[in-house]
Amino acid sequence: MSLEISPPKKLYETFHADCFLWLEQREANSIHAVVTDPPYGLKEYTSIEKEKLRQKRGGVWRIPPSFDGCMRSPLPRFTVLTKEDKSALQRFFSQWATKIFRVLVPGGHIFLAATPLLSHLIYQALEEAGFEKRSEIIRLVQTLRGGDRPKNAHEEFPDVSVMPRSCWEPWGLFRKPCEGRVQDNLRKWKTGGLRRISEGQPFCDVIKSAPTRSIERGIAPHPSLKPQAFMRQVVRAALPLGEGIVLDPFMGGGSTVAAACAVGYQSIGIESDQEYYQMATQAIPRLAELSLDESNNLVSPLFSQREASQQPRLF
Ligand SMILES: C[S@@+](CC[C@H](N)C(=O)[O-])C[C@H]1O[C@@H](n2cnc3c(N)ncnc32)[C@H](O)[C@@H]1O
């Protein structure tokens, strides 16, 4: 009797590609969850704006000042988007959502990092493509967005902020409709629900977080790198039975794929920028092996802060 042994499945694959083209080639119903942080201004990841960022010339990137001894990470300025930019953003997400809909299995979830200024536009595009909005995950994180006094009139209006200081980041949670009941869908496609934190604790829609630690930014100096402490919680929840493939079509420095490796899930990452793609391929195993304690704090970095600060930086 011959026993067929199938080769072990790769835990992750990465592609240097435009995700729109990649999605067109991908088999239908072959991805079980999408966890991603897309480019929002569309402008901020164009060659011109990336060059300005790398040259520290600003452009759409707001280069924040250094204070209390720390250099803050640059942030893209979404308030500079025109009406035309916003229409282009909606078109981009409509096309993207249609392509994602085809490759995702019924009941598959999308976790989509957003910004309070633009989330309504993106969410509408996803609903129009056929996805159901299931919730919004609130990542509690103190950022440097908002809270400033009027520019060049600080002294005249000392008690005024132009916008609130942002203390949270929305993550839209969407699902491709299930085939039948959730239990039927779970049996057939392994999707439809979210993985519980434990038997007694469901996944919750508010997650305390912190800005990405310097040790992680040292490993992957991408301007939008998300922290492992947060990403592992979200990625883990995305596969209710822990089976299937998680896709990040806008991989950046690789935080989603690294989080999937850390929780033992199969994943795929796609990145169109050559430099970020190279960065992610080197960073993923190193981010994945960082240890977190029960409260999801980094505990035992396997290399020192000094080593992290010696990693090449874009800015
Ligand atoms: C906001 S960043 C993602 C950061 C990522 N979450 C991380 O933690 O590093 C978005 C990324 O999408 C990439 N990108 C933009 N358009 C793309 C496309 N059409 N296909 C694939 N990647 C794209 C950009 O180069 C950028 O690195």
Side-chain angles (χ1 to χ4, degrees):
M1 190 177 80
S2 76
L3 192 64
E4 266 191 35
I5 300 174
S6 46
K9 285 182 190 155
K10 274 194 210 158
L11 197 55
Y12 70 90
E13 285 180 279
T14 56
F15 296 90
H16 175 217
D18 177 329
C19 68
F20 284 71
L21 299 176
W22 188 91
L23 287 165
E24 279 168 18
Q25 309 291 320
R26 180 77 189 182
E27 199 186 322
N29 296 334
S30 62
I31 298 290
H32 300 79
V34 172
V35 178
T36 198
D37 168 25
Y40 268 97
L42 295 191
K43 273 187 184 177
E44 77 268 29
Y45 286 105
T46 56
S47 308
I48 293 174
E49 294 297 334
K50 280 188 294 192
E51 191 49 36
K52 286 185 193 163
L53 170 65
R54 285 166 180 148
Q55 299 294 327
K56 294 190 191 168
R57 292 242 184 82
V60 80
W61 289 90
R62 171 177 159 269
I63 310 292
S66 151
F67 59 94
D68 44 276
C70 300
M71 180 66 191
R72 300 304 207 261
S73 302
L75 296 169
R77 287 188 294 192
F78 299 123
T79 46
V80 298
L81 299 186
T82 62
K83 207 173 159 194
E84 288 70 37
D85 291 336
K86 288 182 187 172
S87 301
L89 191 68
Q90 268 185 312
R91 282 197 300 279
F92 176 90
F93 277 96
S94 294
Q95 288 168 13
W96 182 80
T98 307
K99 291 181 192 306
I100 289 286
F101 195 86
R102 192 184 69 83
V103 302
L104 204 58
V105 301
H109 280 91
I110 304 182
F111 287 78
L112 190 78
T115 150
L117 292 175
L118 301 170
S119 55
H120 56 294
L121 302 176
I122 320 307
Y123 294 173
Q124 193 186 341
L126 268 87
E127 284 200 317
E128 282 171 10
F131 288 102
E132 306 165 326
K133 183 163 190 235
R134 299 292 292 167
S135 183
E136 197 155 0
I137 309 304
I138 304 303
R139 175 182 169 218
L140 288 179
V141 57
Q142 181 89 37
T143 70
L144 282 186
R145 284 185 197 282
D148 300 327
R149 294 186 180 85
K151 206 173 176 183
N152 302 328
H154 301 68
E155 286 171 12
E156 195 180 347
F157 300 105
D159 296 330
V160 176
S161 295
V162 179
M163 291 173 75
R165 165 60 53 82
S166 171
C167 299
W168 66 292
E169 177 180 82
W171 279 66
L173 181 60
F174 291 83
R175 188 177 70 176
K176 180 167 168 176
C178 290
E179 271 183 15
R181 300 169 303 173
V182 171
Q183 63 263 47
D184 303 324
N185 204 89
L186 279 165
R187 286 183 200 112
K188 179 166 177 189
W189 295 104
K190 316 287 180 206
T191 53
L194 299 169
R195 191 163 179 187
R196 298 175 75 93
I197 294 169
S198 64
E199 213 178 311
Q201 204 184 348
F203 178 72
C204 299
D205 60 7
V206 178
I207 300 180
K208 279 193 197 149
S209 182
T212 311
R213 313 250 177 226
S214 60
I215 187 113
E216 294 174 70
R217 287 189 281 112
I219 296 172
H222 187 287
S224 308
L225 187 73
K226 298 287 179 194
Q228 285 298 293
F230 173 76
M231 293 307 295
R232 291 184 194 176
Q233 296 180 63
V234 168
V235 168
R236 186 181 179 282
L239 297 181
L241 305 179
E243 295 172 45
I245 301 174
V246 176
L247 171 70
D248 185 351
F250 301 108
M251 172 172 70
S255 62
T256 302
V257 176
C261 290
V263 301
Y265 289 178
Q266 272 185 276
S267 65
I268 296 175
I270 304 162
E271 171 58 48
S272 59
D273 181 274
Q274 169 73 27
E275 199 169 323
Y276 296 150
Y277 177 75
Q278 294 295 349
M279 182 192 291
T281 55
Q282 294 184 17
I284 288 165
R286 300 182 78 197
L287 290 172
E289 68 184 10
L290 292 173
S291 303
L292 303 179
D293 66 14
E294 286 148 26
S295 315
N296 283 305
N297 296 312
L298 279 175
V299 280
S300 58
L302 297 177
F303 64 102
S304 66
Q305 288 281 355
R306 195 177 132 82
E307 192 187 337
S309 66
Q310 286 166 354
Q311 297 300 305
R313 309 248 350 187
L314 282 179
F315 42 83

